[in-house]
Amino acid sequence: MRGMNDLLRQAQAMQKKMANLQEELSKKTVEASSGGGMVTVVASGGQDVVSIVIDKAAVDPSDVEMLQDLVLAAVNDALKKARELQQSEMSAITGGMKIPGLF
C-alpha cells in the first residue's frame, strides 16, 4: 500500500508541474516569418497566434494568393516552433518519456 501512496504522490507532483508548465508556456512566444520577413507571426507556447504583421510591400491586390501563401507559411512555421517548445519543456519534466495525451 505504501508503494501505491508514493506513486500517487509522484503523479500529483508531476500533474502540478505540468499545470505550471502550461501556464509558463502560455507566456512564452515564438516568432516565424516568410517571404524574407514580409509576413511575421508570433505564437504563444500554448499554440495560440498572438500577432501577424504584414509588410505593405506584400500587399498586392493583383496577387492575393501570394499573400495568403506567405501568411499560411508563417503561421504553420510559428505553430511548429510552439509545438517544439512544448515538447522541449515537457521533456524536462517527464525525463524524456513520451506520455500519451500530453501535448
Side-chain angles (χ1 to χ4, degrees):
M1 191 68 162
R2 178 171 163 79
M4 185 65 113
N5 286 337
D6 288 342
L7 185 60
L8 183 59
R9 271 195 291 280
Q10 289 175 348
Q12 288 172 334
M14 184 178 282
Q15 185 177 25
K16 183 174 176 140
K17 286 180 183 179
M18 289 186 316
N20 290 338
L21 175 62
Q22 286 176 329
E23 185 177 330
E24 289 175 29
L25 282 171
S26 69
K27 296 175 185 174
K28 293 183 178 184
T29 59
V30 293
E31 184 177 297
S33 63
S34 63
M38 293 175 79
V39 175
T40 302
V41 174
V42 176
S44 74
Q47 297 188 35
D48 293 319
V49 174
V50 177
S51 70
I52 299 175
V53 177
I54 301 172
D55 187 299
K56 290 179 184 180
V59 180
D60 179 357
S62 66
D63 194 5
V64 175
E65 286 89 17
M66 182 199 60
L67 179 56
Q68 291 169 336
D69 289 344
L70 291 175
V71 170
L72 186 61
V75 167
N76 284 334
D77 192 28
L79 293 178
K80 178 183 174 206
K81 288 179 179 182
R83 283 190 299 274
E84 290 170 353
L85 177 64
Q86 281 182 343
Q87 290 171 351
S88 172
E89 298 283 332
M90 184 56 70
S91 180
I93 289 178
T94 64
M97 284 189 323
K98 299 283 185 189
I99 301 175
L102 294 180
F103 297 102

Coordinates of all heavy atoms in Angstrom, one line a residue:
M1 N 0.8 -1.2 0.0 CA 0.0 0.0 0.0 C 0.9 1.3 0.0 O 0.5 2.2 -0.6 CB -0.9 0.0 1.2 CG -2.0 1.0 1.2 SD -3.1 0.6 -0.1 CE -4.5 1.6 0.4
R2 N 2.0 1.2 0.7 CA 2.9 2.3 0.8 C 3.4 2.7 -0.6 O 3.5 3.9 -1.0 CB 4.1 2.0 1.7 CG 5.1 3.2 1.8 CD 6.1 2.9 2.9 NE 7.2 3.7 2.8 CZ 7.3 5.0 3.1 NH1 6.3 5.6 3.6 NH2 8.5 5.6 3.0
G3 N 3.7 1.7 -1.4 CA 4.2 2.0 -2.8 C 3.2 2.7 -3.6 O 3.5 3.5 -4.4
M4 N 1.9 2.3 -3.4 CA 0.8 3.0 -4.2 C 0.7 4.4 -3.8 O 0.5 5.3 -4.6 CB -0.5 2.2 -3.9 CG -1.6 2.8 -4.8 SD -1.3 2.5 -6.5 CE -2.6 1.3 -6.9
N5 N 0.8 4.7 -2.5 CA 0.8 6.1 -2.0 C 1.9 6.9 -2.6 O 1.7 8.1 -2.9 CB 0.8 6.2 -0.5 CG -0.6 5.7 0.1 OD1 -1.6 5.8 -0.5 ND2 -0.5 5.2 1.4
D6 N 3.1 6.3 -2.6 CA 4.2 7.0 -3.2 C 4.0 7.3 -4.7 O 4.3 8.4 -5.1 CB 5.5 6.2 -3.0 CG 6.0 6.2 -1.6 OD1 5.6 7.0 -0.8 OD2 6.8 5.3 -1.3
L7 N 3.5 6.4 -5.4 CA 3.2 6.5 -6.8 C 2.1 7.6 -7.0 O 2.3 8.5 -7.9 CB 2.7 5.2 -7.4 CG 2.5 5.2 -8.9 CD1 3.7 5.5 -9.6 CD2 1.9 3.8 -9.3
L8 N 1.1 7.7 -6.2 CA 0.1 8.7 -6.2 C 0.7 10.1 -6.0 O 0.3 11.0 -6.7 CB -1.0 8.4 -5.3 CG -2.2 9.3 -5.3 CD1 -2.9 9.3 -6.7 CD2 -3.3 8.9 -4.2
R9 N 1.5 10.2 -5.0 CA 2.2 11.5 -4.7 C 3.0 11.9 -5.9 O 3.0 13.1 -6.2 CB 3.0 11.4 -3.4 CG 2.2 11.7 -2.1 CD 3.2 11.9 -1.0 NE 3.9 10.7 -0.5 CZ 3.4 9.8 0.2 NH1 2.2 9.9 0.7 NH2 4.1 8.8 0.6
Q10 N 3.8 11.0 -6.5 CA 4.6 11.4 -7.6 C 3.7 11.8 -8.8 O 4.1 12.8 -9.5 CB 5.4 10.2 -8.0 CG 6.6 9.9 -7.1 CD 7.3 8.6 -7.5 OE1 6.9 7.8 -8.3 NE2 8.5 8.4 -6.8
A11 N 2.6 11.1 -9.0 CA 1.7 11.5 -10.1 C 1.1 12.9 -9.8 O 1.0 13.7 -10.7 CB 0.6 10.5 -10.3
Q12 N 0.8 13.2 -8.6 CA 0.2 14.5 -8.3 C 1.3 15.6 -8.4 O 1.0 16.7 -8.9 CB -0.3 14.5 -6.8 CG -1.6 13.7 -6.7 CD -2.0 13.6 -5.2 OE1 -1.2 13.6 -4.3 NE2 -3.3 13.3 -5.0
A13 N 2.5 15.3 -8.1 CA 3.6 16.3 -8.2 C 3.8 16.6 -9.7 O 4.0 17.7 -10.1 CB 4.9 15.8 -7.5
M14 N 3.8 15.5 -10.5 CA 4.0 15.7 -11.9 C 2.9 16.5 -12.5 O 3.1 17.4 -13.4 CB 4.2 14.4 -12.7 CG 4.5 14.5 -14.2 SD 4.7 13.0 -15.0 CE 6.4 12.6 -14.5
Q15 N 1.6 16.2 -12.1 CA 0.5 16.9 -12.6 C 0.6 18.4 -12.3 O 0.3 19.3 -13.1 CB -0.8 16.3 -12.0 CG -2.1 16.9 -12.5 CD -3.3 16.3 -12.0 OE1 -3.3 15.7 -10.9 NE2 -4.4 16.3 -12.7
K16 N 1.1 18.7 -11.1 CA 1.2 20.1 -10.7 C 2.3 20.8 -11.5 O 2.1 21.9 -12.0 CB 1.6 20.2 -9.2 CG 1.7 21.7 -8.7 CD 1.9 21.8 -7.2 CE 2.1 23.2 -6.9 NZ 1.5 23.6 -5.7
K17 N 3.4 20.1 -11.8 CA 4.5 20.6 -12.6 C 4.0 20.9 -14.0 O 4.3 21.9 -14.6 CB 5.7 19.7 -12.7 CG 6.5 19.6 -11.4 CD 7.6 18.7 -11.6 CE 8.5 18.5 -10.3 NZ 9.6 17.6 -10.4
M18 N 3.2 20.0 -14.6 CA 2.6 20.1 -15.9 C 1.7 21.3 -16.0 O 1.7 22.1 -17.0 CB 2.0 18.9 -16.4 CG 3.0 17.8 -16.7 SD 2.3 16.3 -17.4 CE 0.8 15.9 -16.5
A19 N 0.9 21.5 -14.9 CA 0.0 22.7 -14.9 C 0.8 24.0 -14.9 O 0.5 24.9 -15.6 CB -1.0 22.6 -13.7
N20 N 1.8 24.0 -14.1 CA 2.7 25.2 -14.0 C 3.4 25.4 -15.4 O 3.5 26.5 -15.8 CB 3.8 25.0 -12.9 CG 3.2 25.1 -11.6 OD1 2.1 25.7 -11.4 ND2 3.9 24.6 -10.6
L21 N 3.8 24.3 -16.0 CA 4.5 24.4 -17.3 C 3.5 25.0 -18.4 O 3.9 25.9 -19.2 CB 5.0 23.1 -17.8 CG 5.5 23.0 -19.2 CD1 6.8 23.9 -19.3 CD2 5.9 21.6 -19.6
Q22 N 2.2 24.5 -18.4 CA 1.3 25.1 -19.3 C 1.1 26.6 -19.1 O 1.0 27.3 -20.1 CB -0.1 24.3 -19.2 CG 0.0 22.9 -19.7 CD -1.3 22.2 -19.5 OE1 -2.0 22.4 -18.5 NE2 -1.6 21.3 -20.4
E23 N 1.1 27.0 -17.9 CA 0.9 28.4 -17.6 C 2.1 29.2 -18.1 O 2.0 30.2 -18.7 CB 0.7 28.7 -16.1 CG 0.4 30.1 -15.8 CD 0.2 30.3 -14.3 OE1 -0.4 29.4 -13.7 OE2 0.5 31.4 -13.8
E24 N 3.3 28.7 -17.9 CA 4.6 29.3 -18.3 C 4.6 29.3 -19.8 O 5.0 30.3 -20.4 CB 5.8 28.5 -17.8 CG 6.0 28.7 -16.3 CD 7.2 27.8 -15.8 OE1 8.1 27.5 -16.6 OE2 7.1 27.4 -14.6
L25 N 4.2 28.2 -20.5 CA 4.3 28.2 -22.0 C 3.3 29.2 -22.6 O 3.7 29.8 -23.6 CB 3.9 26.8 -22.5 CG 4.9 25.7 -22.4 CD1 4.4 24.4 -22.7 CD2 6.1 26.1 -23.3
S26 N 2.2 29.5 -21.9 CA 1.3 30.5 -22.5 C 1.9 31.9 -22.5 O 1.5 32.8 -23.2 CB -0.1 30.4 -21.8 OG 0.1 30.9 -20.4
K27 N 2.9 32.1 -21.6 CA 3.6 33.4 -21.5 C 4.7 33.5 -22.5 O 5.2 34.6 -22.8 CB 4.0 33.7 -20.1 CG 2.9 33.7 -19.1 CD 3.4 33.9 -17.7 CE 2.2 33.8 -16.7 NZ 2.7 33.8 -15.3
K28 N 5.3 32.4 -23.0 CA 6.4 32.4 -23.9 C 5.9 32.5 -25.3 O 4.8 32.1 -25.6 CB 7.2 31.1 -23.7 CG 7.9 31.0 -22.4 CD 8.8 29.8 -22.3 CE 9.5 29.7 -21.0 NZ 10.4 28.6 -20.9
T29 N 6.7 33.1 -26.2 CA 6.4 33.3 -27.6 C 7.5 32.8 -28.5 O 8.6 32.8 -28.1 CB 6.0 34.7 -27.9 OG1 7.2 35.6 -27.7 CG2 4.8 35.2 -27.1
V30 N 7.1 32.4 -29.7 CA 8.0 32.1 -30.7 C 7.6 32.9 -31.9 O 6.5 33.4 -32.0 CB 7.9 30.6 -31.1 CG1 8.5 29.7 -30.0 CG2 6.5 30.2 -31.5
E31 N 8.5 33.2 -32.8 CA 8.3 34.0 -34.0 C 8.7 33.3 -35.2 O 9.8 32.6 -35.2 CB 9.0 35.3 -33.8 CG 8.8 36.3 -34.9 CD 9.5 37.6 -34.7 OE1 9.2 38.3 -33.7 OE2 10.4 38.0 -35.5
A32 N 8.0 33.5 -36.3 CA 8.3 32.9 -37.6 C 8.0 33.9 -38.7 O 7.0 34.7 -38.5 CB 7.6 31.6 -37.8
S33 N 8.7 33.9 -39.8 CA 8.4 34.8 -40.9 C 8.5 34.1 -42.2 O 9.1 33.0 -42.3 CB 9.3 36.0 -40.8 OG 10.6 35.7 -41.0
S34 N 7.9 34.7 -43.2 CA 8.0 34.1 -44.6 C 8.2 35.3 -45.5 O 8.0 36.5 -45.2 CB 6.8 33.3 -44.9 OG 5.7 34.1 -44.9
G35 N 8.6 35.0 -46.7 CA 8.8 36.0 -47.7 C 9.8 37.0 -47.4 O 9.7 38.2 -47.7
G36 N 10.9 36.5 -46.8 CA 12.0 37.4 -46.4 C 11.6 38.4 -45.4 O 12.1 39.5 -45.4
G37 N 10.7 38.0 -44.5 CA 10.3 38.9 -43.4 C 9.1 39.8 -43.8 O 8.6 40.6 -43.0
M38 N 8.5 39.5 -45.0 CA 7.3 40.3 -45.4 C 6.1 40.0 -44.5 O 5.2 40.8 -44.3 CB 7.0 40.0 -46.8 CG 8.0 40.6 -47.8 SD 7.8 40.2 -49.5 CE 6.5 41.4 -49.9
V39 N 6.0 38.7 -44.0 CA 4.9 38.3 -43.1 C 5.6 37.7 -41.8 O 6.4 36.8 -41.9 CB 4.0 37.3 -43.7 CG1 2.9 36.8 -42.7 CG2 3.3 37.9 -44.9
T40 N 5.2 38.2 -40.7 CA 5.8 37.7 -39.4 C 4.6 37.4 -38.5 O 3.7 38.1 -38.3 CB 6.7 38.8 -38.7 OG1 7.7 39.2 -39.6 CG2 7.3 38.3 -37.4
V41 N 4.8 36.2 -37.9 CA 3.7 35.7 -37.0 C 4.4 35.3 -35.6 O 5.4 34.8 -35.6 CB 3.1 34.4 -37.6 CG1 2.1 33.8 -36.6 CG2 2.4 34.7 -38.9
V42 N 3.7 35.8 -34.6 CA 4.1 35.5 -33.2 C 3.0 34.5 -32.6 O 1.9 34.8 -32.7 CB 4.3 36.7 -32.4 CG1 4.6 36.4 -30.9 CG2 5.3 37.6 -33.0
A43 N 3.5 33.4 -32.1 CA 2.6 32.5 -31.4 C 3.1 32.2 -30.0 O 4.2 32.3 -29.7 CB 2.5 31.2 -32.2
S44 N 2.1 31.9 -29.2 CA 2.5 31.5 -27.8 C 2.9 30.1 -27.7 O 2.6 29.3 -28.6 CB 1.3 31.8 -26.8 OG 0.3 30.8 -27.0
G45 N 3.5 29.7 -26.6 CA 3.9 28.3 -26.4 C 2.7 27.4 -26.2 O 2.8 26.2 -26.3
G46 N 1.5 28.1 -26.0 CA 0.3 27.3 -26.0 C -0.4 27.1 -27.3 O -1.5 26.7 -27.5
Q47 N 0.3 27.5 -28.4 CA -0.1 27.4 -29.8 C -1.2 28.3 -30.2 O -2.1 28.0 -31.0 CB -0.4 25.9 -30.1 CG 0.8 25.0 -30.0 CD 0.5 23.6 -30.5 OE1 -0.2 23.5 -31.5 NE2 1.1 22.6 -29.9
D48 N -1.2 29.5 -29.6 CA -2.2 30.5 -30.0 C -1.4 31.5 -30.8 O -0.4 32.0 -30.4 CB -2.8 31.2 -28.8 CG -3.7 30.2 -28.0 OD1 -4.5 29.5 -28.6 OD2 -3.7 30.3 -26.7
V49 N -2.0 32.0 -31.9 CA -1.4 33.0 -32.7 C -1.7 34.3 -32.0 O -2.8 34.7 -31.7 CB -2.0 33.1 -34.1 CG1 -1.4 34.3 -34.9 CG2 -1.6 31.8 -34.9
V50 N -0.6 35.0 -31.6 CA -0.7 36.3 -30.9 C -0.7 37.5 -31.8 O -1.5 38.4 -31.5 CB 0.6 36.4 -29.9 CG1 0.5 37.7 -29.1 CG2 0.6 35.2 -28.9
S51 N 0.1 37.5 -32.8 CA 0.0 38.6 -33.8 C 0.5 38.2 -35.1 O 1.3 37.2 -35.3 CB 0.9 39.8 -33.2 OG 2.3 39.4 -33.3
I52 N 0.1 38.9 -36.1 CA 0.5 38.8 -37.5 C 0.8 40.2 -38.0 O 0.0 41.1 -37.9 CB -0.6 38.1 -38.4 CG1 -0.9 36.7 -37.9 CG2 -0.1 38.1 -39.9 CD1 -2.0 36.1 -38.7
V53 N 2.1 40.4 -38.5 CA 2.5 41.6 -39.1 C 2.8 41.4 -40.6 O 3.5 40.5 -40.9 CB 3.7 42.2 -38.4 CG1 4.2 43.5 -39.0 CG2 3.4 42.4 -36.9
I54 N 2.1 42.2 -41.4 CA 2.3 42.1 -42.9 C 2.9 43.4 -43.4 O 2.3 44.5 -43.2 CB 1.0 41.8 -43.5 CG1 0.4 40.5 -43.0 CG2 1.1 41.8 -45.1 CD1 -1.0 40.2 -43.5
D55 N 4.1 43.3 -44.0 CA 4.7 44.4 -44.6 C 3.8 44.9 -45.8 O 3.3 44.1 -46.5 CB 6.1 44.0 -45.1 CG 6.9 45.2 -45.6 OD1 6.5 45.9 -46.6 OD2 8.0 45.4 -45.1
K56 N 3.7 46.2 -45.9 CA 2.9 46.8 -47.0 C 3.4 46.3 -48.4 O 2.5 46.2 -49.3 CB 3.0 48.3 -47.0 CG 2.3 48.9 -45.8 CD 2.4 50.4 -45.8 CE 1.7 51.0 -44.5 NZ 1.8 52.4 -44.4
A57 N 4.6 46.0 -48.5 CA 5.1 45.6 -49.8 C 4.5 44.2 -50.2 O 4.5 43.8 -51.4 CB 6.6 45.5 -49.8
A58 N 4.0 43.5 -49.2 CA 3.5 42.1 -49.5 C 2.0 42.2 -50.0 O 1.5 41.2 -50.5 CB 3.5 41.3 -48.3
V59 N 1.4 43.4 -49.9 CA 0.0 43.6 -50.3 C -0.1 44.0 -51.7 O 0.2 45.2 -52.1 CB -0.7 44.6 -49.3 CG1 -2.1 44.7 -49.7 CG2 -0.5 44.2 -47.9
D60 N -0.4 43.1 -52.6 CA -0.5 43.3 -54.0 C -1.9 42.8 -54.4 O -2.2 41.6 -54.4 CB 0.5 42.6 -54.8 CG 0.4 42.8 -56.3 OD1 -0.6 43.5 -56.7 OD2 1.3 42.3 -57.0
P61 N -2.9 43.8 -54.6 CA -4.3 43.3 -54.9 C -4.4 42.4 -56.1 O -5.3 41.6 -56.2 CB -5.0 44.7 -55.2 CG -4.2 45.7 -54.5 CD -2.8 45.2 -54.6
S62 N -3.4 42.4 -57.0 CA -3.5 41.6 -58.1 C -2.9 40.2 -57.9 O -3.0 39.3 -58.7 CB -2.8 42.2 -59.3 OG -1.4 42.3 -59.1
D63 N -2.3 40.0 -56.7 CA -1.7 38.7 -56.3 C -2.0 38.3 -54.9 O -1.2 38.1 -54.0 CB -0.2 38.7 -56.5 CG 0.4 37.3 -56.5 OD1 -0.3 36.3 -56.4 OD2 1.7 37.2 -56.6
V64 N -3.3 38.2 -54.6 CA -3.8 37.9 -53.2 C -3.3 36.5 -52.8 O -3.0 36.2 -51.6 CB -5.3 38.0 -53.1 CG1 -5.8 37.5 -51.8 CG2 -5.8 39.4 -53.4
E65 N -3.2 35.5 -53.8 CA -2.8 34.2 -53.4 C -1.4 34.2 -52.8 O -1.1 33.4 -51.9 CB -2.8 33.3 -54.7 CG -4.2 32.9 -55.1 CD -4.8 33.9 -56.1 OE1 -4.0 34.7 -56.7 OE2 -6.0 33.8 -56.3
M66 N -0.5 35.0 -53.3 CA 0.9 35.1 -52.8 C 0.8 35.5 -51.3 O 1.5 34.9 -50.4 CB 1.8 36.0 -53.5 CG 3.2 36.0 -53.0 SD 4.2 37.4 -53.3 CE 3.3 38.8 -52.7
L67 N 0.0 36.5 -51.0 CA -0.1 36.9 -49.6 C -0.7 35.8 -48.7 O -0.2 35.6 -47.6 CB -0.9 38.2 -49.5 CG -1.1 38.8 -48.1 CD1 0.2 39.0 -47.4 CD2 -2.0 40.0 -48.2
Q68 N -1.7 35.2 -49.2 CA -2.3 34.0 -48.5 C -1.2 33.0 -48.2 O -1.2 32.4 -47.1 CB -3.5 33.5 -49.3 CG -4.6 34.4 -49.3 CD -5.7 34.0 -50.3 OE1 -5.5 33.2 -51.2 NE2 -6.9 34.4 -50.1
D69 N -0.4 32.6 -49.2 CA 0.6 31.6 -49.0 C 1.6 32.0 -48.0 O 2.1 31.2 -47.2 CB 1.3 31.3 -50.4 CG 0.4 30.6 -51.3 OD1 -0.6 30.0 -50.9 OD2 0.7 30.5 -52.6
L70 N 2.0 33.3 -48.0 CA 3.0 33.8 -47.1 C 2.5 33.8 -45.7 O 3.2 33.4 -44.7 CB 3.4 35.3 -47.4 CG 4.2 35.5 -48.7 CD1 4.4 37.0 -49.0 CD2 5.6 34.7 -48.6
V71 N 1.2 34.1 -45.5 CA 0.6 34.1 -44.1 C 0.5 32.7 -43.7 O 0.9 32.3 -42.5 CB -0.8 34.8 -44.1 CG1 -1.5 34.5 -42.8 CG2 -0.7 36.3 -44.4
L72 N 0.0 31.8 -44.5 CA -0.1 30.4 -44.2 C 1.3 29.8 -43.8 O 1.4 29.1 -42.8 CB -0.7 29.6 -45.3 CG -1.0 28.1 -45.1 CD1 -2.1 28.0 -44.0 CD2 -1.6 27.5 -46.4
A73 N 2.3 30.1 -44.6 CA 3.6 29.5 -44.3 C 4.1 30.0 -42.9 O 4.7 29.3 -42.1 CB 4.6 29.9 -45.4
A74 N 4.0 31.3 -42.7 CA 4.4 31.9 -41.4 C 3.7 31.3 -40.2 O 4.3 31.0 -39.2 CB 4.4 33.4 -41.4
V75 N 2.4 31.2 -40.4 CA 1.5 30.6 -39.3 C 1.9 29.2 -39.0 O 2.2 28.8 -37.8 CB 0.0 30.7 -39.6 CG1 -0.8 29.9 -38.6 CG2 -0.4 32.2 -39.5
N76 N 2.1 28.4 -40.0 CA 2.4 27.0 -39.8 C 3.8 26.9 -39.2 O 4.0 26.0 -38.3 CB 2.4 26.2 -41.1 CG 1.0 25.9 -41.6 OD1 0.1 25.8 -40.7 ND2 0.8 25.8 -42.9
D77 N 4.8 27.7 -39.6 CA 6.1 27.7 -39.0 C 6.1 28.1 -37.5 O 6.7 27.5 -36.7 CB 7.0 28.5 -39.8 CG 8.5 28.3 -39.5 OD1 8.9 27.2 -39.0 OD2 9.3 29.2 -39.6
A78 N 5.3 29.1 -37.2 CA 5.2 29.6 -35.8 C 4.6 28.5 -35.0 O 5.0 28.2 -33.8 CB 4.4 30.9 -35.7
L79 N 3.5 27.8 -35.4 CA 2.9 26.8 -34.7 C 3.8 25.6 -34.5 O 3.8 24.9 -33.4 CB 1.6 26.4 -35.3 CG 0.5 27.5 -35.2 CD1 -0.8 27.0 -35.9 CD2 0.2 27.9 -33.8
K80 N 4.6 25.3 -35.5 CA 5.6 24.2 -35.4 C 6.6 24.5 -34.3 O 6.9 23.7 -33.5 CB 6.3 24.0 -36.8 CG 7.3 22.9 -36.7 CD 8.0 22.8 -38.1 CE 9.2 21.8 -38.0 NZ 10.2 22.1 -38.9
K81 N 7.1 25.8 -34.3 CA 8.0 26.2 -33.3 C 7.4 26.1 -31.9 O 8.1 25.8 -30.9 CB 8.6 27.6 -33.6 CG 9.5 27.6 -34.8 CD 10.0 29.1 -35.0 CE 10.9 29.1 -36.2 NZ 11.4 30.5 -36.4
A82 N 6.1 26.5 -31.8 CA 5.4 26.4 -30.5 C 5.3 24.9 -30.0 O 5.5 24.7 -28.8 CB 4.0 27.0 -30.6
R83 N 5.0 24.0 -30.9 CA 5.0 22.6 -30.6 C 6.4 22.1 -30.1 O 6.5 21.3 -29.1 CB 4.5 21.7 -31.7 CG 3.0 21.8 -31.9 CD 2.5 20.8 -33.0 NE 3.1 21.0 -34.3 CZ 2.6 21.8 -35.2 NH1 1.6 22.5 -35.0 NH2 3.2 21.9 -36.4
E84 N 7.4 22.5 -30.8 CA 8.8 22.1 -30.4 C 9.1 22.7 -29.1 O 9.8 22.0 -28.3 CB 9.8 22.6 -31.5 CG 9.6 21.8 -32.8 CD 10.5 22.4 -33.9 OE1 11.0 23.5 -33.8 OE2 10.5 21.8 -35.0
L85 N 8.7 23.9 -28.8 CA 8.9 24.5 -27.5 C 8.2 23.7 -26.4 O 8.8 23.3 -25.3 CB 8.5 25.9 -27.4 CG 8.6 26.7 -26.1 CD1 10.0 26.8 -25.7 CD2 7.9 28.0 -26.2
Q86 N 7.0 23.3 -26.6 CA 6.2 22.5 -25.7 C 6.9 21.2 -25.4 O 7.1 20.7 -24.3 CB 4.8 22.2 -26.2 CG 3.8 23.3 -26.1 CD 2.5 22.9 -26.6 OE1 2.3 21.9 -27.3 NE2 1.5 23.7 -26.2
Q87 N 7.3 20.5 -26.5 CA 7.9 19.2 -26.4 C 9.3 19.3 -25.6 O 9.6 18.4 -24.7 CB 8.2 18.5 -27.7 CG 6.9 18.1 -28.4 CD 7.0 17.7 -29.8 OE1 8.1 17.9 -30.4 NE2 6.0 17.1 -30.4
S88 N 10.0 20.3 -25.9 CA 11.3 20.5 -25.2 C 11.1 20.8 -23.7 O 11.7 20.2 -22.8 CB 12.0 21.7 -25.8 OG 13.1 22.0 -25.0
E89 N 10.1 21.6 -23.4 CA 9.8 21.9 -22.0 C 9.2 20.7 -21.2 O 9.6 20.4 -20.1 CB 8.9 23.1 -21.9 CG 9.4 24.4 -22.4 CD 10.4 25.1 -21.5 OE1 10.3 25.0 -20.3 OE2 11.3 25.8 -22.1
M90 N 8.3 20.0 -21.9 CA 7.7 18.8 -21.3 C 8.8 17.7 -21.1 O 8.7 17.0 -20.1 CB 6.6 18.3 -22.2 CG 5.8 17.1 -21.6 SD 5.1 17.5 -20.0 CE 3.8 18.6 -20.4
S91 N 9.7 17.6 -22.0 CA 10.7 16.6 -21.8 C 11.5 16.8 -20.6 O 12.0 15.8 -19.9 CB 11.7 16.6 -23.1 OG 12.7 15.7 -22.9
A92 N 11.7 18.0 -20.2 CA 12.4 18.3 -18.9 C 11.7 17.8 -17.7 O 12.3 17.4 -16.7 CB 12.7 19.8 -18.8
I93 N 10.4 17.8 -17.8 CA 9.5 17.3 -16.6 C 9.4 15.8 -16.6 O 9.5 15.2 -15.6 CB 8.1 18.0 -16.7 CG1 8.2 19.4 -16.3 CG2 7.2 17.3 -15.7 CD1 6.9 20.2 -16.4
T94 N 9.2 15.2 -17.8 CA 9.0 13.8 -17.9 C 10.3 13.0 -18.0 O 10.2 11.8 -18.1 CB 8.0 13.5 -19.1 OG1 8.7 13.8 -20.3 CG2 6.7 14.2 -18.9
G95 N 11.4 13.6 -18.1 CA 12.7 12.9 -18.3 C 12.8 12.3 -19.6 O 13.4 11.3 -19.8
G96 N 12.1 12.9 -20.6 CA 12.1 12.4 -22.0 C 11.1 11.3 -22.3 O 11.0 10.9 -23.4
M97 N 10.4 10.9 -21.3 CA 9.3 9.9 -21.5 C 8.2 10.5 -22.4 O 7.8 11.6 -22.1 CB 8.7 9.4 -20.2 CG 9.6 8.4 -19.4 SD 8.7 7.6 -18.1 CE 7.6 8.9 -17.4
K98 N 7.7 9.7 -23.3 CA 6.6 10.1 -24.1 C 5.3 9.6 -23.4 O 5.1 8.4 -23.4 CB 6.6 9.6 -25.5 CG 7.9 10.0 -26.3 CD 7.7 11.4 -26.8 CE 8.9 11.8 -27.7 NZ 8.9 13.1 -28.0
I99 N 4.5 10.5 -22.9 CA 3.3 10.1 -22.2 C 2.1 10.5 -23.1 O 1.9 11.6 -23.4 CB 3.2 10.9 -20.8 CG1 4.4 10.5 -20.0 CG2 1.9 10.5 -20.2 CD1 4.4 11.3 -18.7
P100 N 1.4 9.5 -23.5 CA 0.2 9.7 -24.4 C -0.7 10.7 -23.8 O -1.0 10.7 -22.7 CB -0.4 8.3 -24.5 CG 0.6 7.3 -24.1 CD 1.5 8.1 -23.1
G101 N -1.2 11.6 -24.7 CA -2.2 12.6 -24.3 C -1.6 13.9 -23.8 O -2.4 14.8 -23.5
L102 N -0.3 13.9 -23.6 CA 0.3 15.2 -23.2 C 0.8 15.9 -24.4 O 1.7 15.4 -25.1 CB 1.4 14.9 -22.2 CG 1.0 14.3 -20.9 CD1 2.2 14.1 -20.0 CD2 0.0 15.2 -20.1
F103 N 0.3 17.1 -24.6 CA 0.8 17.9 -25.7 C 0.8 17.1 -27.0 O 1.7 16.8 -27.6 CB 2.1 18.6 -25.4 CG 2.0 19.5 -24.2 CD1 2.5 19.2 -23.0 CD2 1.4 20.8 -24.4 CE1 2.4 20.0 -21.9 CE2 1.3 21.6 -23.3 CZ 1.8 21.3 -22.1

